[in-house]
Amino acid sequence: MRRSHARYRVKSSTKSDMDPIKFQIRSGNHRASSCSSTYTFTKPNSKHAKSNLMLTVASTSVLLGFLFLCYSILFSGGNRLGSLRYSVVIDGGSTGTRIHVFGYRVESGKPVFEFRGANYASLKLHPGLSAFADDPDGASVSLTELVEFAKGKVPKGVWMETEVRLMATAGMRLLELPVQEKILRVTRRVLKSSGFLFRDEWASVISGSDEGVYAWVVANFALGSLGGDPLKTTGIVELGGASAQVTFVSNEPMPAEFSRTISFGNVSYNLYSHSFLHFGQNAAHDKLWGSLLSRDHKSAVEPTRKRIFTDPCAPKGYSLDTNTQKHLSGLLALESGFSDSFHAGGNYSECRSAALTILQEGNEKCSYQHCSIGSAFTPKLRGRFLATENFFHTSKFFGLGEKAWLSNMISAGERFCGEDWSKLRVKDPSLRDEDLLRYCFSSAYIVSLLHDTLGIPLDDERIGFAIQAGDIPLDWALGAFILQTATETSQHAAIGNHHWFYDLFSNDSKTLRYVIGIPILLTVLVYLVSKWRKPKLKTIYDLEKGRYIVTRIR
Ligand SMILES: Nc1nc2c(ncn2[C@@H]2O[C@H](COP(=O)(O)OP(=O)(O)OP(=O)(O)O)[C@@H](O)[C@H]2O)c(=O)[nH]1
Ligand SMILES: [Ca+2]
């Protein structure tokens, strides 16, 4: 085929709708004379071409943008749909520091908690933060180890969204404020560099009332009564090392400092909650020794006679070695020669009345209508209760069953306290002296606290002891996490902070398919239609008429 002598002339067009560049091709097989009309092939109308291109690019970019947005919502960090989110809570207790790592999902705008498997891990290290009063920097060692444990449980990609909170309890409350602050400063330094999401105010000494509320929350969450009828909830009595907590729903009028109102779901609970500082088991036992000493100081002992301290809560034959002295409060440990004047009385009922004296210390300063423990207001206990921490440990040690465990605690304590120390020592060789010794005092203190002081009948079936409910540990730190997360999630839902897409997608994969599938379909459709509809146009410049004629090519 002869090659056409194509000659290109650029002709600027005045017509706005015409592309300014025209190519005139004179085909070789035309006679010169037949140049009456020259076919001018224009590039497809580049205006149209451009708008098609624009349309395709626009719809593709909208689609890509949309897919990217979906990806960023569905698969980025903490907003990952359906993926686990994490939270870390550190319990700064008096006898040890425990870290809890929680995994949870948000489904239909609500957190779903499962405290098992990959969704929960915890580690406790001794001693507690308060043991570093003289060496605050020393607190960083165990805390760093706990943080490393948590980092091993949380995928690195979400550390930045994982909140870490440190809440210290009674052990730290017993320290002077400046000392507390020094230790907290060290903890903040460690947590700031942990890689987790942390703010200074998230490391603090929480109030005893908060501690009690959190313990109440986890107990009722575990029992399935949280979010239900307030009168069907279960109260808690917690016997820690340095403090004891009592929290339950009470409709009795009470002073504001003991009253707490919390909401869960659309139910609100009016709680009595108080932490009795210095009335934890270990702190009370130290008080006992302090009272023995001061009692002797008061007794008119002639200077020549050797002073004897009789401890009714120490089984006969027990001698106070330096190891146990280490655990005595400063007052006693400093008492020179205390150990050789110490006599183990091994008498349960005397031990129980010594415990009652400790529980009623300060009662004379009661400024409320009714105080049971110390000078703090306590309403009449109503409803069911769970007795946790030392209530559980001592009941377990004596092998008590749920049934009538309080009255059985008396007989178990009488046997243990009255037994010869050497025989007890042989029965439980694995326990340290000071831990084994403590069971005599504990059995008396528990009965004196629950029955003699709080008035719970010895055979009351309404109170059980536990350390977990189902497979959920009754640890106040879990309650703090539950309340914190539920509040945060409902706040997001309330103020619409959440990704509105997120709701659209939350847990509804059908929507996901539609929302991603439809735009793809539409784009393809638009593209095909534009391809199909794009008219094959031919623009002819009619030399005779001196104007362009646009015709459609079939
Ligand atoms: N007998 C016994 N007591 C235990 C055991 N584990 C913990 N305890 C005691 O139970 C009490 C409460 O335990 P934790 O809450 O872990 O102690 P803590 O938080 O350091 O103490 P607080 O700051 O008063 O709450 C403390 O007096 C512990 O000494 C155990 O296995 N056996
Ligand atoms: Ca505790």
Side-chain angles (χ1 to χ4, degrees), residues 91-96 98 124 169-171 211 238-243 245 389 475-476:
D91 164 1
S94 59
T95 63
R98 188 186 294 119
K124 179 173 184 178
T169 58
E211 186 181 356
E238 201 178 35
L239 184 54
S243 67
Q245 283 72 246
E389 296 196 349
D475 219 311
W476 65 261

